[in-house]
Amino acid sequence: MKKLIPVYVRIPVIFFTVFGALEYFIDSGDRPAFIKFPIVSIFLFVFFFLLVAIEITISAVDNVTYHLLTDEQKKTTGRSHRYQCGPCGGVA
């Protein structure tokens, strides 16, 4: 599956969007919400962990489905050679 936005851009954008929304909607006065309310820090840690876990799972499923394709189907996907497994990055 071709991804339009790379994972190293997607994860920080999603995380800081949620972080900004939490800071905006939680009334914490003059201190940041994650300092005044420690549960916010725990929530952000769990959210980041789940975000990374979901991305790893999606990547693994994508890799497995790619290896289940026939050789003709692999040629039509246009997937880069570096994503294929093997002793030196070649075709398995």
Side-chain angles (χ1 to χ4, degrees):
M1 181 172 142
K2 184 171 173 109
K3 296 186 174 45
L4 298 175
I5 303 171
V7 69
Y8 55 85
V9 172
R10 188 172 43 242
I11 287 180
V13 167
I14 293 171
F15 178 77
F16 286 115
T17 301
V18 170
F19 177 76
L22 284 174
E23 287 292 331
Y24 181 76
F25 288 112
I26 295 175
D27 184 27
S28 60
D30 58 346
R31 295 189 315 192
F34 66 92
I35 292 175
K36 188 171 183 180
F37 304 110
I39 193 72
V40 174
S41 296
I42 295 169
F43 172 77
L44 287 171
F45 174 75
V46 170
F47 178 74
F48 182 74
F49 180 77
L50 288 175
L51 193 60
V52 171
I54 289 169
E55 289 293 336
I56 290 171
T57 304
I58 290 172
S59 177
V61 168
D62 190 33
N63 194 21
V64 167
T65 55
Y66 176 76
H67 286 290
L68 290 175
L69 295 175
T70 63
D71 289 335
E72 294 83 22
Q73 291 172 330
K74 286 181 183 179
K75 289 178 186 175
T76 61
T77 60
R79 191 167 173 184
S80 176
H81 184 71
R82 66 186 172 103
Y83 290 114
Q84 298 172 1
C85 70
C88 62
V91 177

